Amino acid sequence: MTEQLEIKKEHRTQTQKLVYYLIALCVTAIGFSVTQTTGQKLMISQIPLRFAVTCWAFSVFFGLRFLNHNLNIFYDNNLYFDILKGHIPEFNRSTSHQHYAAELVLEKINKAIKKHQYHQFTQELLFYVGIVAFLIWHVLNMYSKTIC
């Protein structure tokens, strides 16, 4: 049983590191894109770059939402165990009150886990779509310079 708990703990830690890493990469990519276009007029050829920056900005947003849901899940898990152990007087009137309250918290946890997974998936997807859009912009930019 302890091996399984260790694996779960390691998975959670690595997932959080990945989310933080993607947030940092997105913020860095946005900054790099700004420095590459400083002093330039807005042009149609920059549409892929604007799209990439937008994807990265939303990727940061979904990464932060992921971390927020992560904290809420920890809090709700704690609440769930406190209810089951009888540490919350409001739910100790009877075992049926206790089980009903625990069931409600468990439903809340399950909904939060679904959002949690959605935010992680969306963050990664937007990060990679932003990379593709940036590469398209870069190739178009290089091509336009070779024609002139």
Side-chain angles (χ1 to χ4, degrees), residues 14-117:
Q14 294 302 322
T15 302
Q16 286 178 338
K17 283 181 183 180
L18 174 65
V19 169
Y20 283 121
Y21 186 66
L22 289 177
I23 290 171
L25 284 173
C26 287
V27 171
T28 303
I30 291 170
F32 179 74
S33 298
V34 169
T35 62
Q36 293 300 302
T37 56
T38 300
Q40 294 181 7
K41 295 180 184 179
L42 290 177
M43 300 174 355
I44 291 180
S45 63
Q46 293 174 342
I47 288 175
L49 181 61
R50 291 183 216 156
F51 182 69
V53 168
T54 303
C55 286
W56 291 326
F58 277 108
S59 179
V60 170
F61 171 77
F62 281 106
L64 293 174
R65 293 298 299 156
F66 170 88
L67 295 171
N68 188 329
H69 279 288
N70 204 24
L71 292 174
N72 290 339
I73 289 170
F74 282 135
Y75 176 80
D76 290 340
N77 271 319
N78 231 3
L79 179 62
Y80 175 76
F81 288 122
D82 284 347
I83 290 171
L84 288 180
K85 290 177 183 176
H87 293 227
I88 301 178
E90 295 87 29
F91 303 121
N92 283 343
R93 292 184 201 145
S94 69
T95 55
S96 62
H97 277 94
Q98 206 174 19
H99 289 296
Y100 181 70
E103 192 175 303
L104 289 176
V105 172
L106 199 55
E107 282 180 30
K108 185 179 176 190
I109 291 170
N110 288 331
K111 285 180 185 177
I113 287 172
K114 287 179 184 174
K115 286 181 183 179
H116 189 253
Q117 292 167 339

